[in-house]
Amino acid sequence: MRDFRKALADRVLVLDGAMGTLLQERGLPPGGCPEEMNRIAPEAVIGVHAEYAAAGADILVANSFGGNRAKLGHYGLESAVAELNCKAVELARKAGGELVFVGGSVGPTGRFLEPVGDAGFDEMVDIYAEQISALAAAGADLITFETFLDIRELRAGVIACRDVCDLPIIAQMTFDDAGRTVLGTPPEAAAVTLDALQVDVIGSNCGLGIDGIYDVLARMRQVTNRPLIAQANAGLPVLKEGQTIFPGTPEEMTAYHERLIGLGVRVVGGCCGTTPKHVRVMRAALGDYPQDWTAPPRRGFLSSRSAVAEFGGDTACALIGERINPTGKKAFTAELLAGKTAYIRREATGQVAAGAHLLDVNCGAPGVDEAASLERAVYAVTGACTAPLVIDTSDLEALERGLKAADGKVLINSVNGEAKSLEKVLPLACRYGAAVIGLTLDETGIPETAEGRVEIARRILDAALTLGLPKQDLVIDCLTLTVSAEQKRALETLRALRQVRDELGLATALGVSNISFGLPSRPVLSSAFFAMALEAGLKVAIINPKDERMMDAYRSALVLLCQDVRAEAYIGHYAEQASATPAVAPGDAPLEVRQRLAAAIVSGDSEGIVSLVKDAMQEGLDVMAVSNEGLLPGLEEVGRRFADNRVFLPQVMRSAETMQTAFAYIKENFAGESGPSLGRILMATVEGDIHDIGKNIVCTLLENHGFEVIDLGKNVSAAKILEVAQKEEVDAVGLSALMTTTLQQMDVTLDKLRSAGIKVFTMVGGAVVTQEYADSIGADIYARDAIEAVAKVKRLLGAGG
């Protein structure tokens, strides 16, 4: 029986190369469905697999990459999911026999999840469960997720896989040359999130050559001890004699072998442009190197879509901001009841600015739909800042909604020693890849002694380990009890911190400010206790980071405990503070209405933007002033922050949606006053390509900046583009392509426009497009992302910017 996990430990495995380009050589028409070849041209598929098997591939990846119903639906094949996926596995097995592993390939659906897109998390899980069930039933040895751009969609796929089978999982994302996915996820955040889901192999494919892939994997290795996979392109595509080629030689593909093996890469393969010849050389080159590898120790991390935070071990205490909690906050409770999120977004950004590493999110209040509110709050916080989340609820439905809404690995607050709590919360943590805070209480209450609390912690640890949750993902809350009522219990809490650390090897947590409840000058007492707890080994503190006494205690303690090396953080904060000139107090200089409009666009405040537009009108601004002096400067600031990697695509889209809300109100109430269009732009995804996510984002931002956009959709022929460009007298034509197999259609389309004498500016972009390629086909503009596309179009058309 084939055992992929054992083989992975024994040696470095070779995975095959490109499929689509080789199928095109065997009859797949441009724009055709690769998976349909399993049914209509099985010998062609077998032929590709057989060549890779003969070249020495250990793993043949089935021709099922687009075999989910969302993708197959573009070809009218949504009812053929089971047939085409089963056939894909059968053909790979027939070509490779029993000596190779067959991987069921699973790719993205081409849709974004809410709130960026319209796909629901449960819907996405269901789509992937259908496909993976078919692959597993047909006898796949493993499931390989490839070319994912959205970490949350990949989470849904992995969860679906675990729901329907126990096959080994390879999970890969695609990064650009700046080291992020389209939606802003860096390698570290991707690795932390996937590690928590307990996939077998983590890595990257497509998008980059072997040097770029190596850099991505080196960053992943900093945060995970899982085996890695390198599946690079054979260089970056270039146009030569009318053909798209990948220039990377087989020898270049093996140049990083020794370094990859040292990094813990246990699977090497190729993506676009890789051929059986490449695979043969890669296979032979492995024989030159020893292939043993020992995984590094595991460490504790949390992640958001775009950041990671370490906790436990030798790291300094992580701070959890506690203020997104309605207890005692009438205004916040009123917002929750009204379904609004302004307070949440404001507190998220404020607490991170004050020094919080993580953010606690709690929406439990009388009369509030906690499940819906928590989901909405998670979306709001992740849209406002990059800090990883702590989901704080005792409502299991709300907890699961929050876990589905999260982009990364969160910390659940909390489970306790009661059997019913362990039985319900820990499985959710395992399913959704979360860490957990364990409270040292059970059916009998809170033990009076440190030893009693340690015993409960031990029970929680045993239950977690039994379910497969690593001990590094468990944080024990030794419980802070108010000294006004039980003065001696504070010392027991400090003793418990030390014992949990020394006897169980676990990280500890406390809600620090509880110590001073009911006493005057609470920050004085709380900060003193905080410093004592830090000395006792506290690793996760739930505090108000806006309380300067608490932050003073924290910064000082880190110096004294040698956790702030050379007191650099302390000096950086207090030296800057000492030299700063007195600031104008907030409220002494309220923002002018134009500034408030811009700030609302930057923060994505779609709830409050209409009210601000009304305020601006009442103050005498006309429609053009509202747009050009308020809204557009905000969107331009978003563009600058995006360019500096301070915000990412989900935040850009929320800002765009806020802009659209403002424009919709203006259009409805001030028809004819919005001013002339800055230009007419025709946008299309070229023939043969059914991907339109990137193109849709460009369309949205162009419209927000005042352009009239004619969107022809995806899989659009050159003839259709030519016809519409002539009829509509557009100023520019923008073309998108995601697949290497459709790049040539850009050249064809631009050639037809030129031959017909249509004088328009042309723009190209997409995951596989480069500046060099754009130059080679004579495009006026190459844009690597939507923000750059808007800026270049504005400059080219003389629209400012």
Side-chain angles (χ1 to χ4, degrees):
M1 180 178 179
R2 297 173 300 276
D3 189 333
F4 176 76
R5 293 185 176 102
K6 182 179 184 305
L8 196 67
D10 291 343
R11 67 188 191 279
V12 177
L13 303 175
V14 177
L15 183 140
D16 61 16
M19 171 64 72
T21 49
L22 272 64
L23 285 180
Q24 282 192 328
E25 295 173 3
R26 291 162 169 79
L28 174 65
C33 176
E35 292 73 28
E36 192 175 20
M37 295 285 279
N38 298 332
R39 179 168 65 188
I40 64 176
E43 293 306 318
V45 179
I46 291 174
V48 173
H49 286 314
E51 287 190 31
Y52 282 122
D58 299 297
I59 305 167
L60 298 180
V61 178
N63 182 34
S64 57
F65 175 76
N68 60 74
R69 65 173 179 260
K71 278 286 186 68
L72 292 176
H74 294 296
Y75 306 100
L77 296 170
E78 60 271 23
S79 62
V81 171
E83 175 197 352
L84 294 177
N85 281 277
C86 288
K87 195 70 173 175
V89 173
E90 292 169 8
L91 298 178
R93 179 71 65 208
K94 185 174 182 179
E98 295 300 315
L99 297 180
V100 301
F101 297 103
V102 172
S105 176
V106 177
T109 61
R111 299 173 63 191
F112 278 141
L113 282 108
E114 299 168 330
V116 178
D118 62 354
F121 191 86
D122 289 337
E123 177 190 8
M124 198 66 78
V125 171
D126 186 59
I127 288 171
Y128 284 122
E130 178 185 25
Q131 180 186 10
I132 295 168
S133 293
L135 294 169
D141 299 305
L142 64 143
I143 300 298
T144 175
F145 291 92
E146 304 176 277
T147 324
F148 275 76
L149 307 174
D150 181 357
I151 186 62
R152 193 153 162 253
E153 182 181 10
L154 184 48
R155 281 185 74 225
V158 172
I159 288 168
C161 186
R162 291 291 188 226
D163 284 350
V164 301
C165 68
D166 60 357
L167 292 176
I169 295 174
I170 295 175
Q172 301 182 83
M173 299 199 77
T174 296
F175 301 87
D176 60 23
D177 54 9
R180 291 187 181 271
T181 68
V182 167
L183 289 183
T185 300
E188 296 88 345
V192 168
T193 303
L194 296 169
D195 185 307
L197 292 167
Q198 301 188 37
V199 303
D200 296 88
V201 185
I202 297 171
S204 180
N205 77 297
C206 204
L208 299 169
I210 189 62
D211 52 345
I213 292 288
Y214 174 80
D215 292 340
V216 164
L217 298 182
R219 292 171 62 179
M220 287 183 165
R221 176 54 68 218
Q222 300 302 311
V223 297
T224 181
N225 67 350
R226 302 275 178 186
L228 300 176
I229 176 172
Q231 198 176 350
N233 287 345
L236 298 179
V238 296
L239 189 68
K240 187 174 182 180
E241 298 178 355
Q243 296 294 318
T244 303
I245 65 169
F246 286 80
T249 66
E251 290 71 26
E252 288 170 346
M253 294 285 283
T254 66
Y256 282 73
H257 265 28
E258 184 173 13
R259 280 172 283 181
L260 290 171
I261 293 170
L263 202 59
V265 170
R266 306 302 289 170
V267 182
V268 294
C271 203
C272 299
T274 310
T275 67
K277 182 178 179 181
H278 290 85
V279 169
R280 182 175 291 105
V281 174
M282 293 164 69
R283 166 84 278 167
L286 284 175
D288 297 336
Y289 306 106
Q291 296 181 22
D292 55 314
W293 174 70
T294 301
R298 184 180 177 86
R299 292 145 61 201
F301 291 94
L302 299 174
S303 64
S304 64
R305 179 183 292 275
S306 51
V308 300
E310 186 171 4
F311 67 93
D314 296 329
T315 60
C317 179
L319 302 181
I320 300 176
E322 67 183 6
R323 289 184 54 80
I324 304 177
N325 187 317
T327 303
K329 301 183 182 75
K330 292 182 180 180
F332 181 24
T333 299
E335 278 202 6
L336 291 174
L337 289 168
K340 296 183 177 180
T341 59
Y343 174 90
I344 293 170
R345 287 182 282 105
R346 186 168 61 249
E347 281 299 332
T349 55
Q351 290 184 100
V352 170
H357 307 115
L358 312 169
L359 293 174
D360 189 86
V361 182
N362 184 312
C363 295
V368 170
D369 181 342
E370 189 173 356
S373 294
L374 190 56
E375 178 184 67
R376 192 159 45 241
V378 170
Y379 290 153
V381 174
T382 54
C385 64
T386 63
L389 301 184
V390 181
I391 296 182
D392 185 358
T393 179
S394 58
D395 182 313
L396 291 175
E397 180 189 356
L399 174 59
E400 189 159 17
R401 286 274 289 274
L403 290 169
K404 291 175 182 177
D407 291 329
K409 177 184 177 184
V410 306
L411 180 61
I412 295 173
N413 187 11
S414 56
V415 71
N416 62 54
E418 296 184 30
K420 64 180 182 180
S421 177
L422 295 171
E423 291 168 2
K424 294 184 179 298
V425 176
L426 290 181
L428 288 176
C430 292
R431 183 171 197 258
Y432 292 99
V436 186
I437 292 176
L439 306 181
T440 52
L441 60 85
D442 59 13
E443 294 87 348
T444 64
I446 302 172
E448 293 189 6
T449 66
E451 289 75 15
R453 297 183 204 180
V454 172
E455 182 54 37
I456 293 175
R458 195 186 309 275
R459 292 206 309 269
I460 297 173
L461 174 61
D462 289 344
L465 294 176
T466 298
L467 288 177
L469 191 74
K471 68 183 298 183
Q472 291 81 6
D473 287 345
L474 179 61
V475 183
I476 296 299
D477 189 336
C478 296
L479 298 175
T480 306
L481 302 175
T482 175
V483 293
S484 63
E486 300 175 278
Q487 192 168 355
K488 293 182 180 180
R489 301 283 281 274
L491 293 176
E492 289 302 309
T493 294
L494 296 175
R495 286 184 62 231
L497 289 175
R498 294 186 177 93
Q499 290 184 25
V500 168
R501 176 194 64 191
D502 297 340
E503 296 178 23
L504 302 182
L506 295 175
T508 53
L510 288 178
V512 178
S513 59
N514 292 340
I515 196 75
S516 61
F517 186 78
L519 293 173
S521 299
R522 292 187 62 188
V524 176
L525 186 61
S526 295
S527 60
F529 178 70
F530 188 18
M532 296 171 71
L534 289 168
E535 190 281 328
L538 181 66
K539 288 299 179 182
V540 179
I542 305 172
I543 68 167
N544 174 9
K546 295 182 177 180
D547 184 333
E548 198 55 40
R549 275 189 182 271
M550 295 293 283
M551 295 304 292
D552 287 342
Y554 176 72
R555 298 185 189 102
S556 302
L558 295 191
V559 174
L560 299 174
L561 293 170
C562 298
Q563 294 174 352
D564 178 3
V565 180
R566 294 181 295 277
E568 290 177 355
Y570 182 92
I571 293 169
H573 178 81
Y574 292 104
E576 179 180 332
Q577 186 181 78
S579 62
T581 56
V584 177
D588 290 350
L591 293 177
E592 193 265 339
V593 68
R594 294 171 179 83
Q595 295 171 306
R596 298 203 304 275
L597 285 167
I601 296 298
V602 172
S603 66
D605 183 10
S606 58
E607 298 166 3
I609 192 64
V610 169
S611 177
L612 284 173
V613 171
K614 291 178 181 178
D615 290 346
M617 295 293 192
Q618 289 173 359
E619 290 188 22
L621 272 69
D622 61 20
V623 168
M624 290 298 292
V626 168
S627 176
N628 295 338
E629 299 172 22
L631 301 175
L632 281 175
L635 201 58
E636 288 163 358
E637 174 61 21
V638 171
R640 286 188 287 271
R641 295 185 183 192
F642 180 82
D644 294 339
N645 284 329
R646 287 182 286 158
V647 300
F648 304 100
L649 191 55
Q651 289 95 332
V652 172
M653 294 304 295
R654 288 188 180 93
S655 293
E657 289 165 7
T658 303
M659 193 85 159
Q660 287 178 320
T661 300
F663 282 164
Y665 171 77
I666 291 171
K667 185 176 181 180
E668 180 180 349
N669 293 276
F670 303 93
E673 298 183 33
S674 58
S677 164
L678 297 181
R680 304 187 61 168
I681 317 294
L682 185 153
M683 295 291 297
T685 300
V686 296
E687 186 172 18
D689 204 318
I690 60 172
H691 305 85
D692 64 352
I693 289 175
K695 182 263 299 172
N696 291 346
I697 294 167
V698 175
C699 292
T700 298
L701 293 187
L702 283 170
E703 288 174 341
N704 285 343
H705 278 268
F707 292 95
E708 181 181 351
V709 176
I710 301 168
D711 182 4
L712 298 185
K714 55 193 173 230
N715 192 20
V716 185
S717 69
K720 180 67 173 178
I721 293 169
L722 178 64
E723 174 193 343
V724 177
Q726 286 178 314
K727 178 181 178 182
E728 299 293 340
E729 298 181 345
V730 298
D731 300 295
V733 172
L735 304 177
S736 174
L738 185 70
M739 302 188 300
T740 57
T741 53
T742 58
L743 268 176
Q744 192 177 355
Q745 284 300 310
M746 286 185 164
D747 188 27
V748 170
T749 303
L750 265 58
D751 186 58
K752 283 186 177 296
L753 289 170
R754 286 189 289 263
S755 298
I758 299 177
K759 295 181 178 180
V760 295
F761 294 113
T762 53
M763 174 174 67
V764 296
V768 295
V769 185
T770 64
Q771 180 68 62
E772 291 74 18
Y773 186 84
D775 292 341
S776 71
I777 63 175
D780 296 302
I781 295 175
Y782 160 70
R784 59 181 292 173
D785 55 55
I787 295 291
E788 185 174 290
V790 172
K792 288 187 173 181
V793 168
K794 290 178 73 174
R795 286 198 295 271
L796 200 63
L797 297 183

